[in-house]
Amino acid sequence: MENENCILRLSRYKNSLLKLRHLGLTRVFSENLADAAGVTAAQVRKDFSILGIRGNRRGGYQVDQLIGQIREILGKDKVHNFVLVGTGNLGKALLRYPGFEKSGIKILASFDIDSVKMEGQTNIPILPLEELDGYIQKKQIQFGIISVPDFAAQQVCQIMIRAGIKGILNFAPIRLQVPEDCVIRNINLETELENIIYFVNAANKEGKQP
Amino acid sequence: MENENCILRLSRYKNSLLKLRHLGLTRVFSENLADAAGVTAAQVRKDFSILGIRGNRRGGYQVDQLIGQIREILGKDKVHNFVLVGTGNLGKALLRYPGFEKSGIKILASFDIDSVKMEGQTNIPILPLEELDGYIQKKQIQFGIISVPDFAAQQVCQIMIRAGIKGILNFAPIRLQVPEDCVIRNINLETELENIIYFVNAANKEGKQP
DNA sequence: TAGATTGTTAATCGATTAACAATC
DNA sequence: TAGATTGTTAATCGATTAACAATC
């Protein structure tokens, strides 16, 4: 019943609610929250309905309580352990990204073929790729981030899957083959930029010949 | 008529076609391409129909020609100039990302409040934020990347818009306010990870109580 | 020509929006 | 109670898929 968009919106509701709480609000109506999150009020109520979140028929929703419920649904009441493979430019940036730790996302270790690429820059160890499989199994890790070059991504993915990873965030610009019990999300920077470029160019052309 | 998903798929078709060409194919049918890109054959034909790409009713599509047409639609026959604002971990990684240059995406300059953050590491200059507005206007740049912390993002966005930027890739975890003639795409790492975590946890629960 | 594949129209599916009865 | 807002059902909208006539 819950679709992907619904859960993506849930993250947005959470962020908007944190902002509204910071502004001093203790209650919101679906209308307020919708405005803050940039969706319709019907969408908010529908999403909450799907997820079993309910408010008060005249009082709307208590901000604190609502944040708590959403956090629980998103699993933010627990810390989730990750491995990261590929400590190039992007991988390094992710290792140093301060937003993860406070958000319950903990990268326990990173891996690279060239494990001496960067030492001591963070307190997250960089281990040789051969240890990836054993590490995941030993620590029972379920989540992985792939930031290796495209030609290496599928192989890394296979190691992860075999070792028990169930969710992968993939930055390599290829479509990874995964069994259906593995959740995957792709971030393809080039595709994102191509999309922006297309629509800006399209608008340019439209403007010129109305 | 062309919707966002259609254009995102177009990038995928392009990538798949490059792979197929590398494998030695000179022609494809909608069926082949669909398989390679992970969509249905009807989807491929529909997308091509929308975009005015046409093949041969028995011979399918010529790979080279098709790649050429898609590249042109995506504007990949030209170089597009960008500015990047925010040279923290992520910004630095993007500046060093080798994939952009070969893909017609050229970051001309980067900006930061602290412009001495990193010198000489790439050949892309890092300039003080005060020069952003003038630089964009002087060079007539249409595209920007925002990789500053959330509290600074809206302000940077406003400078970009005022100076003439029409397309923005935003990594800051907030919803930027932009006029409707400005194209924006957001990449929110935390949201992506939350999504993965949610669906893996959901699958875990399902498995335990069938 | 006969057969295969496109290009397009119609059918289906799913997600969003609107409407309104339930109820605080 | 009267009024306002939720929660849910029905209507709408748009995107994907299926089907098939056109045609190479």
Side-chain angles (χ1 to χ4, degrees):
Chain A
M1 192 96 313
E2 329 90 355
N3 80 116
E4 197 173 294
N5 290 343
C6 171
I7 302 302
L8 291 172
R9 279 193 299 268
L10 203 60
S11 295
R12 262 160 78 182
Y13 298 152
K14 170 176 62 71
N15 294 337
S16 297
L17 285 164
L18 291 171
K19 222 168 286 172
L20 293 174
R21 178 163 70 178
H22 193 72
L23 259 54
L25 290 199
T26 58
R27 286 198 228 176
V28 285
F29 301 120
S30 58
E31 192 69 42
N32 310 141
L33 181 52
D35 283 352
V39 300
T40 65
Q43 185 76 271
V44 170
R45 294 202 299 276
K46 181 85 211 215
D47 286 337
F48 285 3
S49 170
I50 288 168
L51 295 162
I53 294 174
R54 24 203 53 230
N56 180 301
R57 287 227 193 213
R58 232 187 65 229
Y61 308 84
Q62 292 294 327
V63 173
D64 275 327
Q65 194 189 336
L66 189 50
I67 290 173
Q69 286 179 88
I70 293 179
R71 282 177 53 89
E72 196 184 322
I73 292 171
L74 292 176
K76 303 212 74 74
D77 50 343
K78 299 192 191 71
V79 171
H80 292 275
N81 293 329
F82 279 73
V83 289
L84 178 147
V85 182
T87 55
N89 295 326
L90 183 61
K92 269 186 258 180
L94 297 172
L95 289 179
R96 293 177 193 147
Y97 187 67
F100 291 152
E101 192 82 46
K102 34 177 149 146
S103 155
I105 290 154
K106 191 169 171 69
I107 301 176
L108 282 189
S110 64
F111 298 83
D112 204 292
I113 350 169
D114 179 8
S115 67
V116 291
K117 239 178 200 170
M118 167 191 64
E119 282 193 11
Q121 295 235 25
T122 73
N123 48 8
I124 301 168
I126 303 183
L127 307 172
L129 194 59
E130 303 87 63
E131 297 179 21
L132 176 61
D133 180 85
Y135 191 93
I136 294 169
Q137 292 196 42
K138 197 181 77 189
K139 302 258 185 176
Q140 304 248 345
I141 295 169
Q142 288 198 97
F143 302 99
I145 299 173
I146 296 180
S147 50
V148 300
D150 54 358
F151 60 83
Q154 183 61 51
Q155 197 203 339
V156 167
C157 175
Q158 265 150 20
I159 298 171
M160 284 184 171
I161 301 283
R162 229 182 319 145
I165 294 280
K166 293 297 178 198
I168 295 174
L169 181 62
N170 171 43
F171 288 90
I174 69 160
R175 236 57 212 170
L176 297 174
Q177 302 293 325
V178 295
E180 42 168 74
D181 73 334
C182 180
V183 177
I184 193 146
R185 288 192 67 86
N186 298 289
I187 293 182
N188 187 325
L189 298 176
E190 193 185 328
T191 299
E192 299 289 337
L193 293 174
E194 279 171 359
N195 197 260
I196 293 170
I197 290 169
Y198 174 83
F199 284 105
V200 170
N201 284 340
N204 284 344
K205 274 167 206 154
E206 218 178 278
K208 273 173 195 158
Q209 42 190 37
Chain B
M1 191 97 312
E2 328 90 354
N3 82 116
E4 196 174 293
N5 289 343
C6 172
I7 302 301
L8 290 172
R9 280 193 298 269
L10 201 62
S11 293
R12 262 160 78 181
Y13 298 151
K14 170 176 62 74
N15 294 337
S16 297
L17 284 164
L18 291 171
K19 222 169 283 173
L20 292 173
R21 178 164 70 179
H22 193 73
L23 259 54
L25 290 201
T26 58
R27 290 199 228 173
V28 285
F29 302 121
S30 56
E31 192 71 41
N32 310 141
L33 180 53
D35 282 352
V39 299
T40 66
Q43 185 77 270
V44 170
R45 294 202 299 278
K46 181 87 209 211
D47 286 338
F48 286 2
S49 169
I50 288 168
L51 294 162
I53 294 173
R54 26 204 51 230
N56 181 301
R57 287 225 190 213
R58 231 188 64 232
Y61 308 84
Q62 293 293 327
V63 173
D64 275 327
Q65 194 189 336
L66 190 49
I67 291 173
Q69 288 179 88
I70 293 179
R71 283 177 53 88
E72 198 184 322
I73 292 171
L74 292 176
K76 303 211 75 72
D77 49 344
K78 299 192 192 68
V79 172
H80 292 274
N81 293 328
F82 280 72
V83 288
L84 179 147
V85 182
T87 55
N89 295 326
L90 182 60
K92 271 187 256 180
L94 295 172
L95 289 178
R96 294 178 191 144
Y97 187 67
F100 290 152
E101 193 82 45
K102 35 177 147 139
S103 156
I105 289 154
K106 191 168 171 68
I107 301 176
L108 283 189
S110 62
F111 297 83
D112 205 292
I113 350 172
D114 179 9
S115 68
V116 292
K117 236 175 200 172
M118 167 190 64
E119 280 191 15
Q121 294 235 25
T122 72
N123 48 9
I124 300 169
I126 303 183
L127 307 172
L129 194 59
E130 303 88 61
E131 297 179 22
L132 176 60
D133 180 85
Y135 191 93
I136 293 169
Q137 291 195 43
K138 196 181 80 188
K139 302 259 184 177
Q140 304 247 347
I141 295 170
Q142 288 198 97
F143 302 99
I145 299 173
I146 295 179
S147 49
V148 298
D150 53 358
F151 60 82
Q154 183 61 50
Q155 197 204 339
V156 168
C157 175
Q158 266 150 19
I159 298 172
M160 284 184 170
I161 301 283
R162 229 182 318 145
I165 294 281
K166 293 296 179 198
I168 295 174
L169 182 61
N170 171 44
F171 287 91
I174 68 160
R175 233 63 209 164
L176 297 174
Q177 301 293 323
V178 294
E180 41 167 74
D181 74 333
C182 180
V183 176
I184 194 148
R185 287 193 68 87
N186 298 290
I187 294 182
N188 187 326
L189 298 176
E190 193 186 326
T191 299
E192 298 290 335
L193 293 173
E194 279 171 359
N195 198 260
I196 293 170
I197 290 169
Y198 173 83
F199 285 105
V200 170
N201 284 340
N204 284 344
K205 274 167 208 155
E206 217 179 277
K208 272 173 197 158
Q209 43 190 38

